[in-house]
Amino acid sequence: MSDHKRLLTTFFITSVILFAVFTLNLNNTVHAQSATTTLRGTVTDTSGAVVPNASMTLTGANGVRRLTTTSDDGAFSFEQIGEGVYQVRVEANGFRTAVRDDVQATTTSAPLSFVLEIGAVSEVVTVTAQRREEDLQDVPISVRPFSNQEIEDRLFTGTVDVLEATPNINVTAANASPNRARIAIRGVGTIINDADPSVGVYIDDVFVGSDGGFNLELVDTERVEVLRGPQGTLYGRNAVGGAVNFISNQPTNEPSGDIDLRYGNYNYFTARGTANVPVIKDKLFTRLTFAGTR
């Protein structure tokens, strides 16, 4: 065989081998691309209502981990994932966590449906009824706390509004004065004018010695704690019936302020405001409040 023919034969064989290798790689690439899929589904609660903003976590045996959240209509999707078995975890505030370990992801997979059950309330209510910060569930006395948010939601404007919303408490005007009030808790109170009260009232741990000037505007209050029953051990005398603590918001190191203006029927007008000013950074702060009603 001549050198020319031998060269042509070698070129032909090499070309066939390269074409075969290229075709094999192309087939593998196409197969790999076709082996991906999208996993879709919805998240609802036990009543059938959609659960938006739920955190979704998809984990695969090969180390794949994808994160997403549900949309406003409770829908979610994991796109471009390989076919296989995955674990899907769903978490949402106020609901128990749901986990599935055997979710099949294929091109023919049906949409998933997760139904979340209502979880236990995890909010911790902190009170200082026993002169120290404690979880309300650990306090062995009858306490009715009112948070700042509840005070705003229920449109409480005065100190008496809080007491009138508390069970087992009776509030009456003293000497027909709108700023004087007598408080009785569980039937224990004082009916004699200018006598020592049977229910202790404290504003930031300062004892209010008489019923005069008690019915004031409720402004910039962090919380109110109503303690029912004798509290003489921690509060001394004048707490036979119970005690009421008004705790104001504490000044902070950040400047801030707000103002609230309201106008109603019969020319009713009220104005409230708060200003938090750090006088000396990290050392001295002040907080100013005002309120007025016409």
Side-chain angles (χ1 to χ4, degrees):
M1 180 182 294
S2 64
D3 293 340
H4 180 69
K5 290 182 178 180
R6 185 180 296 107
L7 181 61
L8 290 177
T9 301
T10 301
F11 177 78
F12 176 76
I13 294 174
T14 303
S15 299
V16 171
I17 293 174
L18 291 176
F19 178 77
V21 172
F22 174 77
T23 303
L24 180 62
N25 290 334
L26 180 62
N27 289 335
N28 289 337
T29 302
V30 172
H31 181 267
Q33 291 178 348
S34 63
T36 61
T37 184
T38 298
L39 199 61
R40 295 184 173 87
T42 56
V43 179
T44 60
D45 60 18
T46 52
S47 67
V50 299
V51 179
N53 299 319
S55 300
M56 309 287 301
T57 306
L58 180 139
T59 306
N62 55 356
V64 174
R65 190 169 185 266
R66 299 282 188 88
L67 303 175
T68 189
T69 57
T70 56
S71 59
D72 292 338
D73 58 356
F76 68 89
S77 65
F78 294 101
E79 300 180 354
Q80 296 296 315
I81 61 174
E83 294 185 339
V85 180
Y86 294 90
Q87 179 197 78
V88 179
R89 184 183 184 91
V90 188
E91 296 176 293
N93 290 333
F95 295 91
R96 295 180 180 175
T97 301
V99 180
R100 290 188 189 174
D101 295 319
D102 55 351
V103 176
Q104 296 282 346
T106 65
T107 54
T108 59
S109 295
L112 299 175
S113 178
F114 287 89
V115 179
L116 301 185
E117 297 180 353
I118 301 296
V121 178
S122 58
E123 181 183 4
V124 176
V125 179
T126 302
V127 296
T128 55
Q130 298 192 109
R131 302 292 190 180
R132 60 180 181 273
E133 291 190 355
E134 296 175 289
D135 183 351
L136 178 61
Q137 301 296 325
D138 298 330
V139 178
I141 56 180
S142 177
V143 183
R144 173 58 168 100
F146 292 86
S147 65
N148 175 269
Q149 187 62 50
E150 183 177 0
I151 291 173
E152 292 184 358
D153 292 343
R154 301 184 66 173
L155 301 178
F156 292 154
T157 59
T159 53
V160 171
D161 294 337
V162 175
L163 299 181
E164 290 179 340
T166 306
N168 301 322
I169 290 186
N170 183 45
V171 182
T172 58
N175 296 333
S177 172
N179 291 328
R180 299 174 67 95
R182 294 195 183 104
I183 307 171
I185 298 181
R186 294 176 175 173
V188 180
T190 302
I191 62 174
I192 302 175
N193 294 334
D194 298 321
D196 288 342
S198 299
V199 176
V201 177
Y202 298 82
I203 300 178
D204 293 330
D205 287 332
V206 177
F207 177 62
V208 179
S210 66
D211 53 20
F214 166 70
N215 187 15
L216 303 175
E217 295 278 352
L218 198 61
V219 185
D220 198 30
T221 302
E222 178 186 340
R223 69 182 184 277
V224 180
E225 300 174 3
V226 181
L227 288 65
R228 290 169 292 200
Q231 306 297 326
T233 302
L234 295 176
Y235 292 90
R237 70 172 194 169
N238 306 124
V240 177
V244 183
N245 293 329
F246 293 91
I247 297 97
S248 303
N249 287 314
Q250 298 300 307
T252 64
N253 200 31
E254 297 295 331
S256 63
D258 65 78
I259 187 169
D260 180 15
L261 303 176
R262 302 184 187 185
Y263 181 80
N265 295 339
Y266 306 105
N267 290 325
Y268 173 84
F269 177 77
T270 180
R272 301 160 176 252
T274 301
N276 187 91
V277 181
V279 180
I280 302 176
K281 188 175 182 180
D282 299 327
K283 293 182 179 180
L284 179 61
F285 324 124
T286 183
R287 192 175 185 90
L288 306 175
T289 62
F290 71 88
T293 301
R294 185 188 66 182

